[in-house]
Amino acid sequence: MTAVTPPLYAIGTPGQPWSEAETSLWRSQQQIKRSYQQLVLQPLFALLQQPDICAQAELIQYGTLDYQQFGLGQYPLYAVRSKDWQTDKPLALVTGGVHGYETSGVLGALDFIAGNFTQYANNKMNLLVLPCISPWGFETINRWNPHAVDPNRSFNAAGRESGTAQEAAAVMQLLQPYLANVLVHVDLHETTDSDNSEFRPAKAARDGTVNTNWNIPDGFYLVDDLDNPQPAFQRAIITAVEKVTQIAPADDDGCLIGEPLQQFGVIHYPKKALGLCGGLTAAKFVTTTEVYPDSPNATPAECNLAQVTTVVTALDFALTATV
């Protein structure tokens, strides 16, 4: 199937990057569509009240996003970590909602806390789960933050996007003391139809470039790190998730989202060079999930379960590798 160039985006002048005027106009058009408080924080707080979970886990606030300058208020940021934190142990990191609109990443992280955290908390690794890194994006079902900046291109100085990303900065500050100890990092994402209908056209308009949409893969796939490939690790996850939901087949060019397939269900990205969350640490085992929630072959529950299955399989693989 040949990718097509979509109609021009409604904001901006073709070929000219946005000024603050266009960014402000874009921001004014974003609407709250769901509640971070009700759908993320309240369930999270309730989980940490359960005796079995609170015996093994503790809730920490690692920052606050302040968007009062835009009349958007403030968003507290929370993580769940092992209560019995031991500095000599390696760290297992799970991040969700870097792109707030990717719902199963957030809900999958919450489901992992609910159903699996205690199983691993007393094991050979410290656990740290950040279920919703971009709460304004979650509420507005958006890829960007209010500055029209992609947090997932902002996790180091090499990131492709310049601008303000409080979301990434807060995570980097939290992790700074532990970066050398991260053994495994699972970053939970989705690829959606809105990537083509909204977010890629918006990015091209913002940057003054021409957008050609990619083919949206029908199913689950993983993004390995180009500079630290771990094919056996990725293969173990694909094998486990295949029992839960469909794995995306390659397109006619042998690609997924324009990237050559490295093995069934796996592509490579240069994560550090792009400033991706998955490139933030020096972890040996890193993967980024891509769930397809718009598929007629997957339910929301299956999408959430695919995320949890990835985390559990990644932790099991890392634990076995370190024995």
Side-chain angles (χ1 to χ4, degrees):
M1 183 183 298
T2 303
V4 297
T5 301
L8 293 176
Y9 197 68
I11 298 174
T13 301
Q16 296 183 18
W18 287 1
S19 67
E20 180 54 36
E22 284 82 18
T23 300
S24 179
L25 176 59
W26 170 84
R27 187 168 50 246
S28 73
Q29 295 180 354
Q30 309 311 306
Q31 299 178 352
I32 300 297
K33 299 173 182 175
R34 57 188 179 185
S35 171
Y36 173 62
Q37 178 69 34
Q38 293 178 4
L39 298 178
V40 180
L41 295 189
Q42 288 180 8
L44 184 61
F45 296 159
L47 285 173
L48 269 293
Q49 295 298 314
Q50 296 182 13
D52 58 333
I53 294 178
C54 71
Q56 304 288 345
E58 61 181 350
L59 187 67
I60 60 170
Q61 183 176 348
Y62 67 90
T64 300
L65 302 180
D66 188 353
Y67 289 125
Q68 294 179 98
Q69 62 180 305
F70 304 130
L72 302 176
Q74 296 179 314
Y75 291 89
L77 299 167
Y78 289 94
V80 177
R81 69 180 180 187
S82 302
K83 181 172 285 187
D84 183 22
W85 191 277
Q86 299 181 36
T87 57
D88 60 336
K89 285 185 177 181
L91 172 60
L93 174 66
V94 179
T95 47
V98 174
H99 290 143
Y101 75 104
E102 297 170 1
T103 306
S104 70
V106 177
L107 300 185
L110 292 174
D111 284 352
F112 171 77
I113 295 168
N116 307 92
F117 193 98
T118 59
Q119 175 185 349
Y120 293 93
N122 275 333
N123 225 308
K124 298 180 180 180
M125 294 184 289
N126 296 314
L127 291 183
L128 181 63
V129 182
L130 285 65
C132 189
I133 289 173
S134 297
W136 182 83
F138 178 84
E139 290 200 328
T140 59
I141 310 184
N142 218 300
R143 185 180 181 89
W144 293 340
N145 70 12
H147 295 273
V149 167
D150 187 341
N152 205 35
R153 296 298 186 273
S154 307
F155 277 90
N156 58 44
R160 290 191 305 185
E161 295 195 8
S162 60
T164 302
Q166 297 179 46
E167 297 83 357
V171 174
M172 290 188 286
Q173 183 176 14
L174 170 66
L175 289 176
Q176 186 58 44
Y178 315 118
L179 287 177
N181 295 332
V182 181
L183 175 65
V184 56
H185 179 192
V186 180
D187 193 26
L188 306 177
H189 284 258
E190 294 181 345
T191 301
T192 71
D193 288 344
S194 59
D195 287 4
N196 274 352
S197 64
E198 170 62 24
F199 299 120
R200 287 178 60 80
K203 181 181 182 299
R206 183 200 63 181
D207 297 343
T209 59
V210 176
N211 177 49
T212 301
N213 278 347
W214 51 34
N215 298 316
I216 302 295
D218 185 6
F220 177 97
Y221 64 100
L222 295 173
V223 183
D224 197 0
D225 189 349
L226 176 66
D227 300 312
N228 175 35
Q230 295 290 335
F233 174 65
Q234 312 297 334
R235 188 177 305 115
I237 296 170
I238 290 294
T239 299
V241 174
E242 192 173 16
K243 300 172 184 177
V244 173
T245 193
Q246 176 175 307
I247 306 301
D251 63 20
D252 293 342
D253 298 318
C255 296
L256 295 172
I257 62 168
E259 296 296 322
L261 205 66
Q262 302 299 318
Q263 60 172 301
F264 179 50
V266 182
I267 61 173
H268 286 173
Y269 261 25
K271 296 187 176 184
K272 290 188 183 298
L274 295 177
L276 305 184
C277 184
L280 173 59
T281 77
K284 180 176 182 180
F285 302 111
V286 179
T287 197
T288 301
T289 64
E290 294 291 348
V291 171
Y292 181 40
D294 300 312
S295 173
N297 301 310
T299 66
E302 288 173 353
C303 291
N304 297 345
L305 182 56
Q307 305 284 24
V308 174
T309 302
T310 298
V311 176
V312 169
T313 306
L315 295 180
D316 287 342
F317 189 99
L319 285 166
T320 301
T322 57
V323 171

